[in-house]
């Protein structure tokens, strides 16, 4: 039994006598036309091998989207490699249940000039890390993403900022390729959608998002076990890092035009002291953002080289993508990030000053 099957629990319902699943809806990707999809479909159908890559420190939407596509393309007889550009390449513990991780290869195993390379959830080529040069050298590069800040790199772009997750676009890709949902594909897609909608709590969630979730659940996956792994399972070391970050948190009630900013930071020394990997603290911001006095949240995480990775969230009244864009990053209105090589105080001041009026 695979790790994905263990997470899913119950047998798949795609068997004889099972209820017929509702057809996927093209409304899942309203910002894209047939003209956008056709050259991508032709490139995939004509490829003998495809490299599927997501951003460094992948979250559930990035890795889930890439693996779902990998399972689908493998079923079509296409040679597939899935990768991300970290060294060492470590799958976050919260995503170890995802199926088809036998498709994963280190960045060094991706050809220097891929025949066809597809990126998932990558808003900027810099987020490809060690794989950026491969994407730039690919004979054909396809970008599948939902970030409004995506500048449109690559040969073809399937970018829809209205989509709540990249996984939504992958679902539409599979529909157009004629690949039916099975439980493994559904587990990957559900992980992506649940991750980027905050378990369907964020404002980008639409009726079509719930319709997609219904189809995915109908394959027999165990959404309760997936949710437990994504949000409710952490190491004791993480709790110690979280405690220190909360103790370090600062509330600035006058920031963001009086709507409030809460921020904190995590020195790399905290991670090493408690044996915590950088990817383990990605969800820390979801705890800090609960402060009722602040519309905007910022968490800075120090990397080994001393640089700071900033993650920001908005509850809806402030466009944090604009603020992060001013610092060289990007993302969504409600969630965005950037990298800084300045001190913590300077970085917070720059972010605060960049917050647009509401």
């Amino acid at each position: 039994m695979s790790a994905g099957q263990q997470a899913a629990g119950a047998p798949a319902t795609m068997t004889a006598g099972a209820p017929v699943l509702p057809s996927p809806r093209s409304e899942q990707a309203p910002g894209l036309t047939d003209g956008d999809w056709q050259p991508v479909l032709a490139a995939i159908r004509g490829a003998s091998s495809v490299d599927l890559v997501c951003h460094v420190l992948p979250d559930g939407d990035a890795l889930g989207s890439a693996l779902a596509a990998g399972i689908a393309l493998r079923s079509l007889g296409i040679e597939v490699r899935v990768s991300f550009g970290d060294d060492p390449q470590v799958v976050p513990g919260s995503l170890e249940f995802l199926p088809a991780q036998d498709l994963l290869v280190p960045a060094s195993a991706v050809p220097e000039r891929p025949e066809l390379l597809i990126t998932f959830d990558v808003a900027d080529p810099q987020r490809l890390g060690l794989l950026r040069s491969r994407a730039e050298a690919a004979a054909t590069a396809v970008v599948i993403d939902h970030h409004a800040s995506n500048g449109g790199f690559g040969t073809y772009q399937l970018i829809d900022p209205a989509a709540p997750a990249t996984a939504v676009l992958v679902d539409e890709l599979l529909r157009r390729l004629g690949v039916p949902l099975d439980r493994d594909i559904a587990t990957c897609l559900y992980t992506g959608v649940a991750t980027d909608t905050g378990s369907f709590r964020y404002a980008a969630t639409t009726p079509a998002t719930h319709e997609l979730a219904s189809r995915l659940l109908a394959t027999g996956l165990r959404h309760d076990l997936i949710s437990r792994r994504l949000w409710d399972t952490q190491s004791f070391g993480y709790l110690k890092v979280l405690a220190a970050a909360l103790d370090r948190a600062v509330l600035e009630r006058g920031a963001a035009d009086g709507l409030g900013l809460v921020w904190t930071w995590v020195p790399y020394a905290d991670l090493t002291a408690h044996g915590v990997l950088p990817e383990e603290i990605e969800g820390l911001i979801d705890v800090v953002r609960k402060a009722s006095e602040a519309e905007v949240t910022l968490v800075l995480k120090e990397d080994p080289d001393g640089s700071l990775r900033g993650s920001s969230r908005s509850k809806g009244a402030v466009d944090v993508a604009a603020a992060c864009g001013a610092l060289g990053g990007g993302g969504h209105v409600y969630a965005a990030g950037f990298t800084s090589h300045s001190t913590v105080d300077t970085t917070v001041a720059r972010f605060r000053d960049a917050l647009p009026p509401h």
Side-chain angles (χ1 to χ4, degrees):
M1 180 178 289
S2 70
Q5 290 171 325
Q6 290 171 349
T13 60
M14 300 291 288
T15 58
V20 177
L21 302 180
S23 299
R25 293 171 44 171
S26 59
E27 289 93 328
Q28 293 287 349
L32 298 172
T33 67
D34 286 341
D36 296 316
W37 288 99
Q38 289 308 316
V40 175
L41 299 174
I44 292 173
R45 290 172 177 143
S48 58
S49 69
V50 182
D51 290 275
L52 310 172
V53 303
C54 57
H55 60 70
V56 294
L57 295 174
D59 58 9
D61 191 28
L63 188 57
S65 294
L67 287 172
I71 297 169
L73 297 191
R74 180 167 61 180
S75 75
L76 297 176
I78 299 172
E79 179 186 359
V80 176
R81 287 173 293 267
V82 178
S83 189
F84 52 95
D86 287 311
D87 184 20
Q89 186 187 82
V90 179
V91 173
S94 62
L95 301 178
E96 288 178 345
F97 68 89
L98 287 174
Q101 293 192 32
D102 59 299
L103 294 174
L104 277 172
V105 301
S108 59
V110 175
E112 292 187 3
R113 194 174 189 275
E115 174 188 356
L116 172 59
L117 182 143
I118 305 177
T119 70
F120 298 87
D121 207 44
V122 180
D124 188 288
Q126 292 184 353
R127 293 282 286 152
L128 288 168
L130 297 175
L131 289 171
R132 178 175 181 176
S133 62
R134 264 71 164 185
E136 293 172 341
T140 302
V142 176
V143 176
I144 301 180
D145 187 29
H146 70 129
H147 292 89
S149 61
N150 195 309
F153 62 98
T155 312
Y156 303 115
Q157 301 84 35
L158 295 173
I159 303 170
D160 185 3
T166 296
V168 168
L169 303 181
V170 175
D171 172 66
E172 179 65 8
L173 174 68
L174 304 193
R175 183 184 79 86
R176 289 173 178 265
L177 286 171
V179 178
L181 286 176
D182 63 19
R183 193 177 59 180
D184 280 353
I185 291 175
T187 295
C188 293
L189 293 178
Y190 186 90
T191 298
V193 175
T195 296
D196 266 28
T197 61
S199 193
F200 307 94
R201 292 175 296 144
Y202 297 163
T205 303
T206 67
T209 312
H210 286 289
E211 182 273 335
L212 171 57
S214 174
R215 287 191 286 107
L216 300 177
L217 289 171
T219 66
L221 64 83
R222 285 287 301 278
H223 66 284
D224 55 332
L225 300 184
I226 292 173
S227 296
R228 187 182 307 163
R229 291 296 298 272
L230 290 177
W231 292 290
D232 296 330
T233 303
Q234 299 288 355
S235 68
F236 183 72
Y238 165 83
L239 298 181
K240 301 293 283 186
V241 171
L242 172 64
L246 293 178
D247 188 55
R248 215 177 274 123
V250 176
L251 174 64
E252 299 185 10
R253 295 176 184 269
D257 270 0
L259 295 180
L261 164 68
V262 59
W263 64 270
T264 189
W265 75 290
V266 179
Y268 188 72
D270 279 14
L271 303 186
T272 57
H274 299 291
V276 174
L277 297 173
E279 55 266 23
E280 290 185 65
I281 63 171
E282 292 303 304
L284 184 151
I285 193 169
D286 293 318
V287 179
V288 182
R289 71 190 296 269
K290 293 181 180 181
S292 61
E293 299 89 345
E295 165 68 24
V296 179
T297 304
L298 173 66
V299 173
L300 301 175
K301 295 153 284 188
E302 185 182 35
D303 283 334
D305 63 0
S307 63
L308 299 170
R309 287 183 295 112
S311 296
S312 65
R313 298 289 186 272
S314 166
K315 294 175 181 175
V318 177
D319 181 357
V320 292
C324 290
L327 275 70
H332 314 288
V333 172
Y334 306 111
F338 61 88
T339 298
S340 172
H341 297 280
S342 301
T343 65
V344 170
D345 288 344
T346 298
T347 300
V348 173
R350 290 181 60 204
F351 176 81
R352 182 193 308 114
D353 292 344
L355 288 171
H358 63 276

